[in-house]
């Protein structure tokens, strides 16, 4: 099936509805089995460059599934609802997109005829880089732009509440075309992503779990906020997903299972391990501090700072801010939505509260109240620190997580150096 034939088939309402249903399943599970994704990739070949393949466990099966990727998650964050995201991916097909470009061109021509030029300016701003597509449509003398319902008007109403030719849909039309243009450009320029391994909850292949291209589900309490209808169900074979907390006592073997099943607890325990190892070098270090007046077991925000060799400190912001930056450096995307807006960072900070309480209760972290004007702080619990250098935890906090440890320290050191450079430049400018 060539591109033109596949595009034409998607213009049929039933085919487009099936396409969007598969996209919905992709979104709610974080991925699709390869055989279920096949129809998406046949209809829209560009999608293959935007999806993260999961390697097959059988050597004869090259790819067993396809997962969401950072560009697809970023596109969702730029849109107002799932329906817009589905249509933006549907629009990667040029013949499907053609009618929407015709609508946008007609809207621009309509706005250009008005006495208020700011209307056209605002419309172009809303279209973003997709305005280049719309300009080409306006320059095409063989086509007269018209504001009419298209062949997928019913699908548009089902997904958005109105068809894209209606006045109320103008902002959605612009957002969809803007997101579609961004994804189209990325898919045209990029190579297909290399397959990554399925998730292994035994910790035997930990490095494969925390690899580039992986999705990390939000902490359980925050994931539930995005899951009010119970539809989001991230696949545990492909995504790093928090499992229900076990009531195990604090023995090393039970801790192994806990850290394997709770990726956020493992990441936070590794952060304190790096902090402890760095402090042992006596060449500066990482600080996890608690503002005065807060409950150590329920902090609204833990702050992260780097201390230089001479004792000077540079703030790196909240714990959530640091973790989001770390995951970005590792090219591990948060599912189902990115959290780099101030509001979502605060939500993530709140979602970390029960995890911090569990770290303290299981004696993985320890809280020290300093007083005398000095901020209280969290560090690794001495018992857990000793356990990290003994079997069975030693490999987990040794060679299996070395790349994660290096990423934590490098991010802290780079942020510290950048802050010092900015401070020095400001002093010179004064």
């Amino acid at each position: 099936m060539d591109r033109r034939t596949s595009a034409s088939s998607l213009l049929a309402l039933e085919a487009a509805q099936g396409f969007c249903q598969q996209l919905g399943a992709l979104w709610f599970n974080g991925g699709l089995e390869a055989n279920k994704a096949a129809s998406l990739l046949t209809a829209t070949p560009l999608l293959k460059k935007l999806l993260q393949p999961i390697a097959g466990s059988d050597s004869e099966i090259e790819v067993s599934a396809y997962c969401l990727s950072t560009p697809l998650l970023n596109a969702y964050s730029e849109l107002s609802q799932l329906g817009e995201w589905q249509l933006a991916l549907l629009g990667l097909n040029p013949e499907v997109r053609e009618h929407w470009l015709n609508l946008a061109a007609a809207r621009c021509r309509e706005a250009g005829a008005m006495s208020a030029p700011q209307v056209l300016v605002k419309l172009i701003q809303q279209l973003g880089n997709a305005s280049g597509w719309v300009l080409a449509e306006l320059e095409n003398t063989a086509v007269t732009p018209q504001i009419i319902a298209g062949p997928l008007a019913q699908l548009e109403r089902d997904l958005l509440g109105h068809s894209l030719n209606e006045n109320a849909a103008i902002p959605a039309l612009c957002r969809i075309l803007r997101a579609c243009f961004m994804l189209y450009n990325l898919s045209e320029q990029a190579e297909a992503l290399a397959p990554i391994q399925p998730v292994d909850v035994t910790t035997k292949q930990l490095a494969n779990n925390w690899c580039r291209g992986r999705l990390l589900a939000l902490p359980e309490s925050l994931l539930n906020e995005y899951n009010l209808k119970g539809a989001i169900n991230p696949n545990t074979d492909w995504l790093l997903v928090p499992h229900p907390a076990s009531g195990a006592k604090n023995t090393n073997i039970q801790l192994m299972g806990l850290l394997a099943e709770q990726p956020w607890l493992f990441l936070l325990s590794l952060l304190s391990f790096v902090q402890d190892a760095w402090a042992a070098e006596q060449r500066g270090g990482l600080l996890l501090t608690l503002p005065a007046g807060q409950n150590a077991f329920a902090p609204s925000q833990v702050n992260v700072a780097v201390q230089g060799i001479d004792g000077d400190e540079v703030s790196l912001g909240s714990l959530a801010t640091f973790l989001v930056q770390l995951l970005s450096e590792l090219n591990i995307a948060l599912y189902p939505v990115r959290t780099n807006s101030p509001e979502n960072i605060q939500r993530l900070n709140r979602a970390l509260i029960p995890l911090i309480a569990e770290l303290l209760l299981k004696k993985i972290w320890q809280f020290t109240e300093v007083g005398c004007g000095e901020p209280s702080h969290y560090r690794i619990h001495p018992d857990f620190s000793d356990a990290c250098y003994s079997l069975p935890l030693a490999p987990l906090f040794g060679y299996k997580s070395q790349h994660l440890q290096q990423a934590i320290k490098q991010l802290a050191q780079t942020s510290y150096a950048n802050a010092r450079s900015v401070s020095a430049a400001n002093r010179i400018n004064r």
Side-chain angles (χ1 to χ4, degrees), residues 8 11 37 60 98 103 183 226 248 285 316 320 352 358:
S8 298
L11 288 173
E60 296 181 3
E98 181 62 30
L103 286 177
L183 293 173
Y226 291 102
L316 304 185
L352 294 174
E358 189 168 3

Side-chain angles (χ1 to χ4, degrees), residues 27-312:
W27 174 257
F28 290 121
N29 295 287
L32 278 178
E33 293 177 359
N35 59 343
K36 294 181 179 178
S39 59
L40 295 179
L41 302 180
T42 300
T44 307
L46 288 179
L47 259 181
K48 193 163 188 177
K49 292 186 178 181
L50 297 171
L51 291 169
Q52 174 60 62
I54 305 294
S57 54
D58 187 337
S59 59
E60 296 181 3
I61 302 175
E62 183 180 353
V63 174
S64 63
Y66 288 92
C67 283
L68 295 169
S69 63
T70 298
L72 291 175
L73 289 165
N74 287 345
Y76 179 87
S77 297
E78 296 295 328
L79 299 167
S80 69
Q81 56 174 295
L82 178 60
E84 290 186 9
W85 183 79
Q86 290 167 297
L87 291 177
L89 296 188
L90 188 65
L92 288 174
N93 208 301
E95 291 194 19
V96 173
R97 186 172 66 239
E98 181 62 30
H99 176 69
W100 300 337
L101 291 174
N102 181 279
L103 286 177
R107 291 297 184 186
C108 286
R109 179 169 287 180
E110 180 184 63
M114 295 180 181
S115 57
Q118 63 268 27
V119 177
L120 178 59
V121 171
K122 182 179 180 181
L123 194 59
I124 293 172
Q125 289 174 337
Q126 288 177 317
L127 284 165
N129 290 333
S131 58
W133 274 349
V134 178
L135 177 60
E137 192 76 10
L138 287 167
E139 292 175 342
N140 183 1
T141 56
V143 178
T144 301
Q146 293 179 292
I147 303 174
I148 57 174
L152 302 180
Q154 183 56 53
L155 176 63
E156 294 161 10
R157 280 191 288 271
D158 292 342
L159 294 176
L160 307 179
H162 40 243
S163 58
L164 289 174
N165 62 296
E166 297 177 33
N167 289 340
I170 294 175
L173 174 65
C174 293
R175 285 192 296 267
I176 289 167
L177 287 175
R178 187 174 67 234
C180 186
F181 181 89
M182 179 194 73
L183 293 173
Y184 176 84
N185 261 15
L186 283 173
S187 61
E188 285 284 283
Q189 298 167 10
E191 296 292 330
L193 297 170
I196 60 176
Q197 296 298 315
V199 171
D200 176 13
V201 295
T202 68
T203 72
K204 292 179 180 178
Q205 302 295 330
L206 184 77
N208 290 340
N209 289 355
W210 294 85
C211 63
R212 295 176 63 84
R214 184 72 71 196
L215 299 183
L216 169 62
L218 292 171
E220 189 174 5
S221 62
L222 186 51
L223 188 63
N224 290 338
E225 290 184 27
Y226 291 102
N227 200 22
L228 297 179
K229 296 181 180 179
I232 294 177
N233 185 27
N235 187 292
T236 56
D237 292 330
W238 312 326
L239 282 69
L240 291 170
V241 181
H243 293 254
S246 65
K249 294 182 179 179
N250 190 14
T251 68
N252 290 354
I253 294 177
Q254 290 162 332
L255 274 175
M256 276 283 289
L258 178 71
L259 297 176
E261 295 175 354
Q262 292 283 326
W264 285 96
L265 284 182
F266 171 68
L267 191 60
L268 291 169
S269 67
L270 192 65
L271 182 64
S272 64
F273 178 79
V274 171
Q275 177 193 31
D276 189 52
W278 194 351
E281 297 173 6
Q282 297 184 338
R283 296 184 60 81
L286 196 62
L287 304 175
L288 303 174
T289 62
L290 183 68
Q294 293 197 41
N295 182 344
F297 281 81
S300 61
Q301 178 173 306
V302 174
N303 293 327
V304 181
V306 178
Q307 189 174 58
I309 298 174
D310 299 325
D312 58 316

Side-chain angles (χ1 to χ4, degrees), residues 256-371:
M256 276 283 289
L258 178 71
L259 297 176
E261 295 175 354
Q262 292 283 326
W264 285 96
L265 284 182
F266 171 68
L267 191 60
L268 291 169
S269 67
L270 192 65
L271 182 64
S272 64
F273 178 79
V274 171
Q275 177 193 31
D276 189 52
W278 194 351
E281 297 173 6
Q282 297 184 338
R283 296 184 60 81
L286 196 62
L287 304 175
L288 303 174
T289 62
L290 183 68
Q294 293 197 41
N295 182 344
F297 281 81
S300 61
Q301 178 173 306
V302 174
N303 293 327
V304 181
V306 178
Q307 189 174 58
I309 298 174
D310 299 325
D312 58 316
E313 294 180 13
V314 169
S315 172
L316 304 185
S318 70
L319 180 57
T321 299
F322 183 79
L323 292 176
V324 167
Q325 290 175 342
L326 173 65
L327 293 168
S328 178
E329 291 292 323
L330 293 166
N331 197 20
I332 294 174
L334 288 171
Y335 170 85
V337 295
R338 65 181 184 182
T339 58
N340 54 354
S341 70
E343 178 186 356
N344 284 339
I345 287 289
Q346 282 304 105
R347 295 175 77 180
L348 181 55
N349 273 318
R350 290 195 295 270
L352 294 174
I353 293 173
L355 297 174
I356 292 171
E358 189 168 3
L359 289 167
L360 293 171
L361 288 170
K362 294 195 180 320
K363 297 185 178 180
I364 295 173
W365 276 19
Q366 177 178 264
F367 179 71
T368 302
E369 192 164 5
V370 178

